[in-house]
Amino acid sequence: AKDPVRVLVTGAAGQIGYALVPMIARGIMLGPDQPVILHMLDIAPAAEALNGVKMELVDAAFPLLKGVVATTDPVEACTGVNVAVMVGGFPRKEGMERKDVMSKNVSIYKSQASALEKHAAANCKVLVVANPANTNALILKEFAPSIPEKNITCLTRLDHNRALGQISEKVNVQVSDVKNVIIWGNHSSTQYPDVTHATVTTSAGEKPVPALVNDDEWLKSGFISTVQQRGAAIIKARKFSSALSAASSACDHIRDWVCGTPEGTWVSMGVYSDGSYNVPAGLIYSFPVTCRNGEWSIVQGLSIDEFSRKKLDLTAEELTEEKALAYSCLS
Ligand code: NAX
C-alpha cells in the first residue's frame, strides 16, 4: 500500500473547508488508492467548530483517511505536509478599505509562509485559494524563499471550470466534451476567460468553440462577464459564496498537478510568471498549463489577437497594482 500523503487545509472550519475535507478524505484530490492524513488549521475563535469537523471526519469512517490533525497552531499544522491548500484568510467586510484587507492578508501569508518553509515536507506543493489569491500566493512565495517558486500556485481552476460550464450550456454539449478554455490573469473581475483555442469533441472530431458558438458578440461580452461575475451571482442566489464548486476545483487543480493533464488538454493555474506572453515576470498570473511528473509548464506559442492582448494586459496591470499595495503593507 502507498504511504499516506499529508494534506494541509487552512481555514478548515470555514465553508470551503467543510466541502473540501471530505473530498480529500474520499480520494477525489489524490486518487482512490492514495491514503491521506488531513491537517486542518483554523484560528482560535473557530477552534470548537474545527473540532466538530474533526468529529464528523471520524464519524464518516473514510477508508483512505489515516489520521486527522486539527489545530490552531501553524507549526503543528504545517509539519511534514506534502500538499498545502491555503483557504484561510481575512475576508473583506462592508466598509473596509482595500488596503486594510490587503494588510491583514499580507501578515497572515507572511507568517504562514515561514511556518511552511520551516516545517513542511521538502517539495511541498502549495495552492492558495483565499483572496486576493494571486497576491497572497506571491507574498507566500516571497517569504518562503527556500520553497521552489514552481511549487507555489493559486486557484483559477474554478473560473476555468465555470467557463467550461458556460460553453457546454451555450452549445448544448456535455461539459466533459469541452476543453482548452483559458483563464488569464487575476482571480478577480479583470480575469480574461478566453475561448479562442477551446474545442468541443464531437462525433465528427474536435471542433473550435468560436465556430460552434457562432455568436461573436456573446463570446466577447456576455460570456466573459458571466464568468467574471459568477462568484457574485452565486452569493446573490445562495447568500453565501461558492463553496462546493471551489472545493471541487481545488481538487481538480491538485490532482492534475500531481497526476498530470491528459494528452492534448491544458488547464488554468495561477503560477509565477516567467514573462511568457509578455506578461510581466514576477507576478502570480493565471496561464494555460500542462502538467507532467508533478510539474506544470506554461503552454507556449498560442496566438494572441488584439482583443485578447488588451485583456491580458489589463489584468496584468491590476496584479502589478495589487503587488505594489501588498508591498506597501510590509513597510
Ligand atoms: P469562510 O469565511 O467560510 O472560511 C474562512 C476560514 O478561514 C474561517 O474558518 C476563518 O476562521 C479561517 N481563517 C481566518 N484567518 C485564518 C488564519 N490566519 N489561519 C487559518 N485560518 C484562518 O470563507 P470561505 O467561503 O471558506 O472562503 C475562503 C476563502 O476562499 C476566501 O478568502 C474567499 O474569498 C476565497 N475564495 C476563493 C476562490 C478562488 O477561486 N480562488 C473561490 C471561492 C472563494 O470565494
Side-chain angles (χ1 to χ4, degrees):
K2 291 183 172 176
D3 288 336
V5 168
R6 290 179 184 270
V7 182
L8 167 66
V9 176
T10 72
Q15 38 144 22
I16 294 176
Y18 192 73
L20 178 59
V21 292
M23 292 183 188
I24 298 171
R26 277 245 174 244
I28 291 171
M29 176 179 278
L30 293 166
D33 62 346
Q34 177 58 64
V36 292
I37 296 174
L38 269 168
H39 288 220
M40 303 193 295
L41 175 70
D42 212 295
I43 49 177
E48 202 182 343
L50 185 67
N51 196 47
V53 178
K54 180 179 177 177
M55 287 158 66
E56 286 206 71
L57 286 169
V58 171
D59 295 351
F62 294 110
L64 287 172
L65 187 59
K66 303 303 177 190
V68 181
V69 176
T71 181
T72 56
D73 173 11
V75 171
E76 189 187 2
C78 292
T79 300
V81 299
N82 309 100
V83 173
V85 187
M86 314 300 284
V87 184
F90 195 91
R92 184 163 187 175
K93 294 182 183 146
E94 196 95 20
M96 251 181 115
E97 294 288 336
R98 216 160 79 91
K99 171 140 189 180
D100 297 333
V101 190
M102 182 66 86
S103 172
K104 300 266 189 205
N105 284 298
V106 163
S107 80
I108 292 170
Y109 277 82
K110 193 179 158 184
S111 71
Q112 293 186 354
S114 306
L116 277 174
E117 165 159 66
K118 291 198 191 92
H119 303 286
N123 214 29
C124 175
K125 288 181 158 60
V126 182
L127 166 61
V128 178
V129 177
N131 281 315
N134 302 53
T135 300
N136 286 342
L138 186 66
I139 292 297
L140 199 155
K141 184 215 146 303
E142 299 288 84
F143 288 94
S146 70
I147 300 180
E149 64 200 27
K150 286 214 101 175
N151 289 26
I152 297 171
T153 65
C154 83
L155 187 72
T156 55
R157 184 61 175 270
L158 174 55
D159 308 297
H160 180 102
N161 288 344
R162 283 168 173 165
L164 295 176
Q166 289 303 307
I167 296 298
S168 87
E169 293 210 314
K170 178 77 174 180
V171 289
N172 199 20
V173 295
Q174 295 301 318
V175 72
S176 54
D177 289 332
V178 188
K179 66 174 188 177
N180 296 351
V181 299
I182 303 168
I183 302 297
W184 298 97
N186 200 1
H187 169 68
S188 77
S189 58
T190 66
Q191 64 176 257
Y192 171 42
D194 176 7
V195 297
T196 317
H197 307 279
T199 61
V200 174
T201 306
T202 71
S203 53
E206 282 186 9
K207 302 284 178 209
V209 162
L212 278 180
V213 169
N214 195 22
D215 182 350
D216 210 40
E217 170 60 28
W218 180 76
L219 281 178
K220 285 201 156 98
S221 67
F223 164 73
I224 292 176
S225 59
T226 298
V227 175
Q228 289 172 335
Q229 302 297 333
R230 190 68 161 182
I234 301 288
I235 293 174
K236 190 156 180 280
R238 229 171 65 84
K239 320 293 176 231
F240 291 103
S241 57
S242 30
L244 87 85
S245 53
S248 180
S249 301
C251 290
D252 288 345
H253 176 113
I254 298 288
R255 191 200 54 240
D256 286 347
W257 188 5
V258 172
C259 304
T261 43
E263 192 63 42
T265 300
W266 63 66
V267 294
S268 303
M269 282 170 70
V271 300
Y272 196 63
S273 169
D274 62 354
S276 291
Y277 295 99
N278 287 319
V279 169
L283 298 174
I284 300 269
Y285 188 98
S286 180
F287 286 98
V289 302
T290 55
C291 304
R292 238 188 129 167
N293 301 325
E295 289 212 6
W296 53 263
S297 24
I298 297 172
V299 176
Q300 298 294 337
L302 298 173
S303 60
I304 306 290
D305 62 20
E306 203 182 323
F307 179 84
S308 296
R309 185 71 254 166
K310 289 202 179 104
K311 302 261 182 217
L312 263 75
D313 292 345
L314 190 75
T315 189
E317 275 164 34
E318 183 184 52
L319 280 168
T320 303
E321 277 167 29
E322 266 188 28
K323 181 178 179 175
L325 184 63
Y327 273 82
S328 76
C329 296
L330 287 167
S331 46

